[in-house]
Amino acid sequence: MLLKEISMTTVAFIGLGIMGGPMAGHLVNAGFDVVGYNRSQPKIDELVAAGGKGASSIADAVREADVVAVMVPDSPDVREVLAGEGGVFDNAKPGTLIIDFSSIRPDVTTELAAQAIQRGFRLLDAPVSGGEAGAKNAALSIMVGGDKSDFDAAADVFNAVGKTVVLVGPNGAGQTVKAANQLIVAGNIQLLAEAVAFVEAYGVDTEAALKVLGGGLAGSKVLDQKGANMLGRSFPPGFRIELHHKDLGIVTAAAREAGVVIPLGAVVAQLMASAVANGDGGLDHSALLRGVLRLSGQNPDSPSDSAS
Amino acid sequence: MLLKEISMTTVAFIGLGIMGGPMAGHLVNAGFDVVGYNRSQPKIDELVAAGGKGASSIADAVREADVVAVMVPDSPDVREVLAGEGGVFDNAKPGTLIIDFSSIRPDVTTELAAQAIQRGFRLLDAPVSGGEAGAKNAALSIMVGGDKSDFDAAADVFNAVGKTVVLVGPNGAGQTVKAANQLIVAGNIQLLAEAVAFVEAYGVDTEAALKVLGGGLAGSKVLDQKGANMLGRSFPPGFRIELHHKDLGIVTAAAREAGVVIPLGAVVAQLMASAVANGDGGLDHSALLRGVLRLSGQNPDSPSDSAS
């Protein structure tokens, strides 16, 4: 019932970047009345060309919305969009369901969710995994924190943009699981990079090695999707190291707060920080290989022997 | 031609344990004349019951063999079987193809391969991944080092026991890739353990969390196959920590030898050593979770909150 109610009404979409842009487009295609807002106008024009509407401010976008979707880079951005002057809390209708797709600090999410409820709104934290390809193909994994009734009410929105959509707990739980996701992904990339540098040093056919590694217990999405970047020493983003660095700050702080000791998480956070410090922040996170090469006294800009 | 020649002739199989036993059985089923030897008699009896033959010594097993397969625990065992008194080198026919499925030090493999060639034999290192289940289901990944002609000649043997069989380089390369495999697997397990302890501490629905993590870039064979052990705090082997500890000794030594720096590999080797030191050596390697719990001041013997 709630499902149908929402699917025939208006979604405000705040943040039409690499992820938010395609997601808003999928909502248009699913039959939602989508009103988009973005700081830069060209992204709004793209949404309008795809059948959506444009707004000149957050206030304009959310005033008539039944659902407000947010996809912005970091905790301060979400805080500004929701609780800032001229933001969602000041301008949305009572009862509006806010879905925050951004990846931010779990404690900021729980704080903003409490404010939202106090002011008569409903909020789900719904960070995603799957990257630009997942956003474009409506194949995102979405880890949702909040009330079951709100999760059920948002089903049509989630199904329009995601493939694996799971309610993992109360508000903040979505962000906690996303933090765990970023921990695993960063570590799996670093381990693959160490393995690649190791087998290359022994003159192994690295492409053949990755094939057989992928067939055994070492197999992973990271190996499937990031191995070729490493062999080719080519790291176009993808997911940028500077963003993953931000996320590892979230997970190490949240783990410390909870008294959970994460030795590999701590080390890979340092290695990600080193990648930023060495000017690799704009590269795909598979460029962690460059750090392994630097540590091993090799020139990260040289092509691999196995590729030459 | 060589293929057929071998497939109609005799395979000696030395080491009929958890892995070697089922592998020898698959060779019987594939039509090979299999003569098995094991230090303990019951394993030999099992092979005989399955249609193979038993031998009372390595010498008896290999004397008439065209192929000698070896599957024993560690580098000294392989050295003893091949180069020891009464071993393969002293008793096999000239030209015999030796296939070492064991996981041992790459430098020991290259040394033994050189000896084998000098004494008129051919040798492939062919360590496997996929564990007991892979051995039972003839679904092993096999990473092979050696000559292409020997690899081709052994195709029927490999296809009888494995699913992903790849020649990765000259002698030793198979062991090098297996070492990389063990590095990745150990690290992926430790990262999953850190992630599980982290999300449990925040009261997240851990089973739901693993489902959504598996759908995104954090997805891996380790997550699929080891997550349930961690949630249930149940760690029956599987692959024992004490064996993985041995393998991480191989990979850290070989990386040091090659001048490749592997920070996560080094840390997870220490954590695996700690698991052995804490008496967990006989548990499955997914029991690395117990180390994360100990580090975090939790009782590793308590059931998880999310499971209760």
Side-chain angles (χ1 to χ4, degrees), chain A residues 5-255:
Chain A
E5 188 187 321
I6 285 173
S7 73
M8 292 188 294
T9 54
T10 300
V11 179
F13 208 110
I14 314 298
L16 302 169
I18 290 179
M19 300 295 290
M23 292 170 73
H26 291 307
L27 292 174
V28 171
N29 294 338
F32 290 97
D33 189 10
V34 181
V35 185
Y37 174 73
N38 197 67
R39 269 189 260 188
S40 66
Q41 185 64 34
K43 296 290 188 178
I44 299 177
D45 296 342
E46 283 176 33
L47 178 64
V48 171
K53 292 176 187 157
S56 59
S57 67
I58 293 174
D60 278 350
V62 306
R63 204 164 278 132
E64 302 300 323
D66 305 286
V67 173
V68 173
V70 180
M71 185 50 130
V72 293
D74 204 352
S75 306
D77 307 300
V78 174
R79 194 190 293 281
E80 177 69 20
V81 165
L82 295 186
E85 206 177 328
V88 175
F89 290 165
D90 283 348
N91 291 284
K93 291 189 297 189
T96 296
L97 176 58
I98 300 164
I99 305 175
D100 182 19
F101 289 111
S102 319
S103 293
I104 66 171
R105 284 168 40 194
D107 60 321
V108 173
T109 283
T110 49
E111 177 206 321
L112 289 170
Q115 280 185 46
I117 289 161
Q118 199 178 17
R119 299 187 62 165
F121 304 111
R122 302 175 288 157
L123 188 144
L124 295 169
D125 48 306
V128 306
S129 178
E132 189 178 352
K136 281 189 175 158
N137 303 325
L140 294 167
S141 278
I142 312 181
M143 26 217 107
V144 187
D147 285 349
K148 177 76 164 67
S149 58
D150 295 336
F151 176 74
D152 291 340
D156 286 357
V157 171
F158 287 140
N159 291 335
V161 299
K163 197 165 118 187
T164 308
V165 185
V166 182
L167 180 68
V168 293
N171 277 131
Q175 297 298 350
T176 298
V177 174
K178 178 62 192 283
N181 184 81
Q182 296 304 80
L183 164 67
I184 292 174
V185 170
N188 284 9
I189 291 173
Q190 174 67 25
L191 287 158
L192 180 62
E194 294 180 11
V196 165
F198 173 72
V199 298
E200 282 186 358
Y202 277 97
V204 166
D205 177 343
T206 316
E207 195 171 337
L210 289 189
K211 185 181 162 198
V212 70
L213 288 171
L217 190 52
S220 68
K221 299 269 183 69
V222 160
L223 193 151
D224 293 343
Q225 295 182 26
K226 302 296 181 182
N229 283 5
M230 294 191 192
L231 299 193
R233 303 287 198 268
S234 169
F235 308 104
F239 189 73
R240 291 198 302 282
I241 278 178
E242 61 199 9
L243 281 172
H244 212 147
H245 176 55
K246 181 252 313 177
D247 291 342
L248 294 180
I250 292 173
V251 68
T252 49

Side-chain angles (χ1 to χ4, degrees), chain B residues 65-301:
Chain B
D66 305 285
V67 173
V68 173
V70 180
M71 184 51 130
V72 293
D74 204 350
S75 305
D77 307 302
V78 175
R79 193 190 295 279
E80 177 70 20
V81 166
L82 294 187
E85 206 177 327
V88 175
F89 291 165
D90 282 349
N91 291 284
K93 292 189 295 190
T96 295
L97 177 58
I98 300 164
I99 304 176
D100 180 20
F101 290 111
S102 319
S103 293
I104 65 170
R105 284 167 42 194
D107 59 322
V108 173
T109 283
T110 49
E111 177 206 322
L112 289 170
Q115 282 185 45
I117 289 162
Q118 200 178 14
R119 300 186 62 163
F121 304 110
R122 303 174 288 157
L123 187 144
L124 295 168
D125 48 306
V128 307
S129 177
E132 189 178 351
K136 281 189 175 157
N137 303 324
L140 294 167
S141 278
I142 311 181
M143 27 217 107
V144 186
D147 284 349
K148 178 75 164 65
S149 59
D150 296 335
F151 177 75
D152 291 341
D156 286 357
V157 172
F158 288 142
N159 292 335
V161 298
K163 198 166 119 188
T164 307
V165 185
V166 182
L167 180 69
V168 294
N171 277 130
Q175 298 298 350
T176 298
V177 175
K178 178 62 192 284
N181 184 81
Q182 296 305 78
L183 163 67
I184 292 175
V185 170
N188 284 8
I189 291 174
Q190 173 67 23
L191 287 159
L192 180 62
E194 295 181 10
V196 164
F198 173 72
V199 298
E200 282 186 358
Y202 277 98
V204 166
D205 177 343
T206 316
E207 196 172 339
L210 288 189
K211 185 181 163 197
V212 71
L213 288 170
L217 189 53
S220 68
K221 299 268 182 68
V222 160
L223 194 151
D224 292 344
Q225 294 182 27
K226 301 296 181 183
N229 283 6
M230 294 191 192
L231 299 193
R233 302 288 198 270
S234 170
F235 307 104
F239 188 74
R240 291 197 303 281
I241 278 178
E242 61 201 8
L243 281 173
H244 212 147
H245 175 55
K246 181 255 307 178
D247 291 342
L248 293 180
I250 292 172
V251 68
T252 50
R256 188 187 306 118
E257 185 72 22
V260 174
V261 175
I262 51 169
L264 291 202
V267 174
V268 78
Q270 290 294 304
L271 296 168
M272 199 73 80
S274 174
V276 173
N278 277 277
D280 288 347
L283 299 180
D284 184 69
H285 47 182
S286 51
L288 282 176
L289 176 68
R290 292 169 55 84
V292 176
L293 297 175
R294 279 188 207 102
L295 283 170
S296 304
Q298 297 176 46
N299 180 353
D301 295 317

